[in-house]
């Protein structure tokens, strides 16, 4: 394919992030993997100059509805250009922003103007990309349609940073991330408070009976994971993947999760580093198979 230009359409420019948050890190992984195949990737956001999708070899539409209010979406004309592009594209989602404006997916599976639009994007996509079997299944429920052109992209984790050091573990239970209702923080606290539970993250952390570590830099998490016997994550929402669960498993923690953790829906050994390197290899092979 002579044209080696790719445009990465997205609401949030991942290059403006510190690289530790799950969504932007996934976007950067996607871009880096495509560039490794010799493609030149440019980023287009609603706040910048719109790039004609027809001038690309192929395009990525990544979380293009990632704003519940819709004020930062591409314009209606831009959306029409993306949907009707002659260039093939990947429709990529990190959560459920393409099918509902409810926080964390809520509990309403209703056909809406947004889910109808997303159904059209998925039907016309060369590939639709999701984070896990659970993520795909939930998307199908929202749009009320099977997704046949699907690629499951397990999140890439730095296995050199997150690994089992074989040290003594003095933390009985640990959870990290956003502290809120949908992440199930209150469930974790109610079950493991006064049992050595340590928590770290942001949001409401005013819980009795726990050790609050506050906001912990991402680079410091491997040490804490390696001190932890049991990593607990019990979300209420159907989490697309759950990067912290993968990180903790790689560091040797026993995982206490539930059926709402996307990473666990693979049914794989999440402590095996090859699971994540293979994810990268499978992604690159998917690009070669569909866009070379």
């Amino acid at each position: 394919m002579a044209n080696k230009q790719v445009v990465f359409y997205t609401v949030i420019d991942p290059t403006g992030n510190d690289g530790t948050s799950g969504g932007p890190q996934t976007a950067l992984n996607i871009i880096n993997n495509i560039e490794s195949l010799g493609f030149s990737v440019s980023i287009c956001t609603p706040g910048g100059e719109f790039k004609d999708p027809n001038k690309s070899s192929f395009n990525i539409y990544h979380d293009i509805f990632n704003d519940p209010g819709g004020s930062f979406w591409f314009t209606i004309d831009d959306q029409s250009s993306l949907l009707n592009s002659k260039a093939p594209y990947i429709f990529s989602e990190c959560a459920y922003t393409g099918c509902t404006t409810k926080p964390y997916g809520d509990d309403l599976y209703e056909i809406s103007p947004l889910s109808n639009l997303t159904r059209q994007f998925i039907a016309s996509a060369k590939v639709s990309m999701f984070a896990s079997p659970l993520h795909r299944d939930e998307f199908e429920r929202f749009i009320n349609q099977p997704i046949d052109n699907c690629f499951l992209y397990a999140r890439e984790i730095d296995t050199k940073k997150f690994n089992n050091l074989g040290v003594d573990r003095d933390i009985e239970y640990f959870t990290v991330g956003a502290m809120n209702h949908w992440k199930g923080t209150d469930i974790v606290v109610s079950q493991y408070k006064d049992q050595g539970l340590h928590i770290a993250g942001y949001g409401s952390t005013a819980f009795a009976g726990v050790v609050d570590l506050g906001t912990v830099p991402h680079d410091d998490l491997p040490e804490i994971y390696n001190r932890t016997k049991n990593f607990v994550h019990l979300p209420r929402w159907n989490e697309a993947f759950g990067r912290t669960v993968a990180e903790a498993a790689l560091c040797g923690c026993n995982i206490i999760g539930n059926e709402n953790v996307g990473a666990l829906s693979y049914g794989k050994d999440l402590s095996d580093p090859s699971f994540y390197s293979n994810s990268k290899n499978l992604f690159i092979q998917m690009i070669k198979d569909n866009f070379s």
Side-chain angles (χ1 to χ4, degrees):
M1 186 175 285
N3 184 0
K4 301 288 284 187
Q5 303 296 316
V6 174
V7 180
F8 188 89
Y9 296 88
T10 186
V11 168
I12 301 174
D13 187 341
T15 62
N17 189 270
D18 62 6
T20 61
S21 180
Q25 184 58 56
T26 296
L28 292 173
N29 289 148
I30 292 170
I31 292 171
N32 291 337
N33 290 340
I34 293 173
E35 288 180 336
S36 74
L37 294 173
F39 291 94
S40 176
V41 180
S42 58
I43 296 172
C44 180
T45 63
E49 181 181 355
F50 186 73
K51 298 179 183 295
D52 184 354
N54 294 300
K55 294 183 179 180
S56 304
S57 171
F58 70 95
N59 297 298
I60 314 288
Y61 304 162
H62 181 79
D63 285 351
I64 59 172
F65 299 109
N66 191 6
D67 170 55
S71 58
F72 295 107
W73 290 352
F74 290 98
T75 68
I76 298 298
D77 288 342
D78 293 345
Q79 293 174 24
S80 179
S81 296
L82 295 176
L83 182 59
N84 297 308
S85 170
K86 295 179 181 178
Y89 65 85
I90 295 173
F91 184 83
S92 171
E93 274 281 327
C94 278
Y96 303 101
T97 59
C99 54
T100 178
T101 58
K102 302 292 184 181
Y104 290 111
D106 214 335
D107 57 352
L108 298 176
Y109 293 87
E110 60 183 9
I111 298 298
S112 67
L114 177 57
S115 57
N116 276 327
L117 179 59
T118 295
R119 182 194 292 149
Q120 296 177 55
F121 270 104
I122 289 175
S124 299
K126 181 78 172 180
V127 175
S128 294
M129 189 159 64
F130 302 95
S132 67
L134 174 66
H135 191 204
R136 174 203 59 211
D137 293 347
E138 285 301 288
F139 233 87
E140 289 182 337
R141 290 180 67 188
F142 270 112
I143 67 172
N144 194 28
Q145 178 174 296
I147 300 173
D148 298 322
N149 55 344
C150 181
F151 176 74
L152 299 181
Y153 177 44
R155 297 317 182 216
E156 297 179 38
I157 309 293
D158 186 348
T159 57
K160 293 181 179 178
K161 176 185 293 186
F162 295 95
N163 58 81
N164 190 349
L165 301 177
V167 298
D168 291 337
R169 298 179 182 269
D170 63 312
I171 297 176
E172 196 68 32
Y173 299 99
F174 176 54
T175 190
V176 63
M179 300 287 147
N180 59 48
H181 171 83
W182 291 106
K183 291 286 187 176
T185 309
D186 57 322
I187 299 174
V188 174
V189 170
S190 68
Q191 292 187 18
Y192 297 100
K193 66 180 179 180
D194 299 320
Q195 298 184 52
L197 174 64
H198 288 53
I199 65 173
Y202 51 93
S204 177
T205 59
F207 300 107
V210 306
V211 178
D212 185 1
L213 301 177
T215 301
V216 175
H218 194 250
D219 287 343
D220 292 346
L221 283 176
E223 177 186 357
I224 299 176
Y225 287 140
N226 269 278
R227 292 175 53 199
T228 298
K229 297 176 183 177
N230 301 286
F231 183 78
V232 190
H233 189 50
L234 303 172
R236 285 185 173 87
W237 79 303
N238 292 288
E239 192 159 33
F241 188 76
R243 184 179 291 267
T244 58
V245 171
E247 293 172 348
L250 282 166
C251 291
C253 299
N254 174 55
I255 303 299
I256 300 175
N258 62 17
E259 69 279 2
N260 297 330
V261 180
L264 296 176
S265 71
Y266 278 97
K268 303 291 186 180
D269 180 3
L270 298 182
S271 67
D272 182 359
S274 67
F275 175 68
Y276 309 96
S277 59
N278 192 45
S279 179
K280 177 177 182 176
N281 296 335
L282 289 173
F283 177 89
I284 290 174
Q285 189 59 52
M286 180 273 290
I287 297 295
K288 290 179 178 178
D289 291 343
N290 289 279
F291 303 105
S292 296

